[in-house]
Amino acid sequence: MQHLQTRAIALPQLGLGTFRMEGDDCREAVESALELGYRHLDTAAMYNNEAAVGAAIAASALKRDALHVTTKVWHDQLAPAAIRRSLQASLDRLRLDYVDLFMVHWPAPDMDLPAIFATLAELQAAGRVRAIGVCNFTLPMLRAAIDAIGAPVACNQVEYHVLLDQTPMRDYLAAKSIPLIAYCPLAQGTLADHPELGAIGRKHGASAAQVALKWLLDQDGVAAIPKARRRASQQANLDALALRLDDDDRRVIAALPKDRRFVNPPFAPAWDEMPD
């Protein structure tokens, strides 16, 4: 497992996403993943599963510093006092003294970036979080946070898969040595039956989903957090790390449409907003 170095943390390149997993299902999935060797767990206050993730961590024999745990604050909790309350509630549910990465889950139209990052910096200085990041930020938002106010952003977590181009975002982050974390890396499961990816997979004795995942993980500075409830799926995602795609495979993937977005809630930002 490769790790991406960013802002004094080492981020395992492949993690376990937990969105839409709750209760015992989530706890059992996380326990399984930890047994298989996963060390990067991604959750959020909005997922309603931090307690289940925390129970799985507590049940493991792993030392705390062997794990990377990410959680997030929801977009309606971005006032300084609300951020502090959200983090404390998350830590209580996770049964942890700190998280490795604390992220703004979605941007808000009226967010006060200097106040947000000043608060996050206070929490980091207090040892409650090891690094801070953002999710679903557009390039102009990133420029406002990183270039204008100097926020120590450790990563941007965005939807990214073989059917959605993120080249401008990747280029900007790479220039700053900041990783991109790909959520929805299998396009909500639709890539499992993708014909072109399936053909590539058959050539290598792999599945279409493994091809899609390895395409992401082959890119410098990119991590991925596929959700996988079943142990077999968790193992298959780990096995994708050993897959070797060739230039012909990459040309086929490059020719696929790159404009399909699967996560676009009503409160999402204007994705096509261009940087100044």
Side-chain angles (χ1 to χ4, degrees):
M1 177 75 69
Q2 293 189 5
H3 289 65
L4 304 180
Q5 301 291 326
T6 176
R7 302 291 185 183
I9 63 171
L11 181 75
Q13 194 182 19
L14 179 64
L16 180 74
T18 63
F19 181 44
R20 292 179 177 163
M21 294 197 296
E22 296 184 17
D24 287 343
D25 283 346
C26 180
R27 176 183 55 77
E28 292 168 4
V30 174
E31 288 178 350
S32 169
L34 293 176
E35 289 171 1
L36 289 173
Y38 284 80
R39 295 297 181 263
H40 175 176
L41 303 175
D42 184 276
T43 184
M46 189 276 286
Y47 296 171
N48 194 34
N49 64 13
E50 289 173 315
V53 173
I57 293 172
S60 77
L62 294 168
K63 294 182 178 179
R64 175 64 185 90
D65 60 6
L67 283 175
H68 172 96
V69 181
T70 293
T71 196
K72 313 176 190 80
V73 57
W74 196 235
H75 63 85
D76 64 355
Q77 300 292 310
L78 297 182
I83 292 173
R84 297 186 189 98
R85 287 193 299 268
S86 178
L87 175 62
Q88 185 59 57
S90 290
L91 291 174
D92 291 345
R93 290 188 289 263
L94 288 164
R95 310 186 202 181
L96 299 177
D97 295 326
Y98 68 91
V99 290
D100 299 275
L101 185 58
F102 188 47
M103 309 180 78
V104 176
H105 202 158
W106 285 88
D110 58 347
M111 61 183 175
D112 182 340
L113 286 177
I116 289 169
F117 284 105
T119 304
L120 294 176
E122 291 171 7
L123 296 171
Q124 186 177 21
R128 313 289 296 288
V129 305
R130 294 184 62 220
I132 58 179
V134 296
C135 306
N136 302 298
F137 269 40
T138 64
L139 274 174
M141 292 174 183
L142 281 178
R143 291 186 185 281
I146 298 170
D147 298 339
I149 65 176
V153 172
C155 63
N156 188 22
Q157 187 180 117
V158 293
E159 179 179 350
Y160 186 31
H161 44 71
V162 299
L163 301 180
L164 183 65
D165 181 52
Q166 289 285 11
T167 301
M169 179 66 69
R170 282 185 54 227
D171 288 348
Y172 174 81
L173 292 172
K176 304 286 184 180
S177 298
I178 298 172
L180 182 154
I181 301 179
Y183 73 75
C184 198
L186 303 179
Q188 297 185 340
T190 63
L191 298 179
D193 299 316
H194 194 280
E196 287 91 342
L197 298 180
I200 294 172
R202 285 189 293 274
K203 186 173 77 173
H204 297 287
S207 69
Q210 288 174 315
V211 171
L213 190 55
K214 190 54 161 58
W215 178 81
L216 286 170
L217 298 177
D218 277 346
Q219 299 172 34
D220 291 340
V222 175
I225 49 168
K227 180 183 72 174
R229 181 180 284 105
R230 297 185 303 112
R231 190 179 184 90
S233 298
Q234 294 171 355
Q235 184 63 59
N237 291 342
L238 284 174
D239 291 344
L241 292 167
L243 180 61
R244 291 185 178 274
L245 301 178
D246 59 36
D247 289 342
D248 288 339
D249 302 332
R250 285 184 278 272
R251 278 191 287 269
V252 170
I253 294 172
L256 297 176
K258 292 289 187 286
D259 59 354
R260 294 197 61 191
R261 187 178 292 278
F262 290 81
V263 180
N264 195 24
F267 49 80
W271 300 116
D272 57 354
E273 184 181 9
M274 297 302 294
D276 296 334

